Amino acid sequence: MARRNLFQPPPPPDTDNSAVPASEQKVRFPNTGAMSGVKSTLKDVASNAVREISVDVIEENGPKDRLSFSDADVVKLAESIKAHGQQVPIMVRPIADKPGHYKIVYGRRRLRALRSLGIPAKALVRSLSDEEAILAQGQENTQRLDPSFIEKALFAAELSSSGYEQGIILDALAVDKPMLSRMTKVARSIPKSVIEQIGSAHGIGRRRWEELADQSRNNSIDLEQVTSALQLNATKSPDDRFSMICGAVSQMLKPKATSKPVPSPTLAIKLSDGTAIAEVKETARALTVKLSKAEAPEFAQWMRNNAEAELTRLYEAWQAERKPD
């Protein structure tokens, strides 16, 4: 289906009859005249005129192309509208089964500000299909708001889950198929609740979002659990909140240091008079008996000469103790 730019007036009716034989022109256009031309012109002007509509009859449901804007944003915009008037109209479309009521196409933040002021909205009214409304919404935001990567990714995922065809989504976001695939992958890998807590994060590009999505998916990391353990509200910007989550995930993926065995304390063997004759030291692989030549040189020499016999005797005595009676 051919797409037209929904921000521009529709093209005027084709009045070029030069290619039609004169004999056929009267038959094909029997009622062409001054009044017909005036009616056509008035119809075109009316369809593109900005109208004032009560905010009470405008509904806000439908796919959202931006993450939630803060109350501070609405207050700031309301102050600007109060001082300078509504400079940019919103776009609405009639609700077929509710005469006199409209559904927002784009301009949700402006509508919220106008509601707070209690004044009517300046709006363009278009009779659009669901697909045309999505195209208008995507075009307006791309041209005016510059949504972040993650906002586009969420919008794409929501449109896909709502049953919109891929071609409509591509046109609405002005992206190609590979980019749409990447957006969808990120939006499906990172829980929406986590993304909403982070925010729009305009300073975070596609690659970093993809890295976080890959890390969480490939390592079965519960990002909702990670996020709940962090104090994200204490940070000032969405970029900071994103960095905090990435830091926590990276910490989880660091290889755990192998704990070294705690060495056993050295056992000193002393005589009743305090003379140290030996030290016994244990490691993971051996038990070492160290005789002191300084404190008991003669005993050390005797042990050197009789080590084999004495150790054999000790071993046999140990075995004998192990045998049952």
Side-chain angles (χ1 to χ4, degrees):
M1 179 174 68
R3 305 291 177 194
R4 64 180 175 85
N5 187 337
L6 298 173
F7 302 103
Q8 301 296 331
D14 186 2
T15 56
D16 182 8
N17 297 328
S18 59
V20 182
S23 60
E24 296 182 15
Q25 289 185 20
K26 292 183 179 180
V27 176
R28 292 178 59 187
F29 304 97
N31 297 320
T32 299
M35 286 304 298
S36 178
V38 169
K39 289 180 180 179
S40 177
T41 301
L42 291 176
K43 183 178 180 180
D44 290 341
V45 170
S47 67
N48 291 283
V50 175
R51 297 166 51 184
E52 283 197 352
I53 300 176
S54 170
V55 293
D56 296 330
V57 298
I58 302 176
E59 299 181 4
E60 294 187 54
N61 56 333
K64 296 180 180 179
D65 44 53
R66 299 182 66 194
L67 289 167
S68 300
F69 35 78
S70 67
D71 292 339
D73 290 336
V74 175
V75 170
K76 184 176 180 180
L77 180 58
E79 291 174 351
S80 175
I81 292 176
K82 186 176 181 179
H84 308 289
Q86 181 187 347
Q87 300 297 314
V88 181
I90 66 174
M91 181 181 283
V92 299
R93 56 177 176 146
I95 301 176
D97 55 354
K98 294 178 69 174
H101 285 72
Y102 304 86
K103 183 179 293 186
I104 188 75
V105 176
Y106 60 70
R108 283 175 169 78
R109 189 164 63 100
R110 277 164 280 169
L111 178 60
R112 202 74 62 84
L114 292 166
R115 285 190 197 281
S116 70
L117 295 172
I119 60 178
K122 294 180 181 179
L124 294 167
V125 180
R126 295 285 186 272
S127 296
L128 304 173
S129 65
D130 289 345
E131 291 79 7
E132 289 173 330
I134 289 299
L135 287 172
Q137 187 177 355
Q139 289 173 7
E140 198 261 356
N141 285 325
T142 299
Q143 293 177 10
R144 194 178 64 85
L145 296 175
D146 188 24
S148 66
F149 169 80
I150 198 61
E151 286 180 310
K152 289 183 178 180
L154 278 184
F155 189 36
E158 186 173 358
L159 293 179
S160 178
S161 62
S162 299
Y164 286 93
E165 295 181 358
Q166 187 182 70
I168 296 294
I169 302 174
L170 293 174
D171 288 346
L173 294 172
V175 297
D176 55 18
K177 289 183 179 180
M179 178 57 72
L180 179 60
S181 176
R182 289 175 168 179
M183 289 178 171
T184 304
K185 185 178 178 181
V186 169
R188 289 176 178 173
S189 300
I190 302 177
K192 185 178 180 181
S193 61
V194 174
I195 296 174
E196 289 176 339
Q197 289 187 65
I198 293 173
S200 57
H202 281 85
I204 307 300
R206 169 182 58 82
R207 291 186 182 278
R208 294 184 67 189
W209 280 106
E210 287 182 329
E211 288 174 0
L212 179 60
D214 291 341
Q215 287 176 335
S216 62
R217 184 178 59 257
N218 296 337
N219 298 280
S220 300
I221 295 176
D222 187 344
L223 288 178
E224 289 183 319
Q225 185 176 359
V226 172
T227 304
S228 64
L230 299 172
Q231 296 181 347
L232 295 184
N233 292 334
T235 60
K236 295 183 178 180
S237 72
D239 291 11
D240 291 337
R241 292 192 284 270
F242 178 89
S243 297
M244 286 182 67
I245 293 176
C246 286
V249 170
S250 298
Q251 193 65 32
M252 293 173 64
L253 296 178
K254 282 185 177 180
K256 296 181 180 179
T258 305
S259 58
K260 296 181 180 180
V262 178
S264 299
T266 300
L267 174 63
I269 300 176
K270 297 181 180 180
L271 299 177
S272 59
D273 62 0
T275 302
I277 62 173
E279 287 182 352
V280 179
K281 188 173 183 180
E282 182 182 5
T283 65
R285 300 177 64 87
L287 182 69
T288 305
V289 178
K290 181 180 178 182
L291 302 179
S292 175
K293 287 185 177 182
E295 298 288 334
E298 294 179 355
F299 175 68
Q301 184 60 43
W302 179 86
M303 196 62 189
R304 171 69 180 83
N305 296 333
N306 298 280
E308 182 177 359
E310 290 299 317
L311 288 174
T312 300
R313 182 180 63 79
L314 289 173
Y315 183 80
E316 290 174 350
W318 170 74
Q319 273 194 326
E321 289 180 359
R322 294 182 64 201
K323 292 180 180 180
D325 295 339

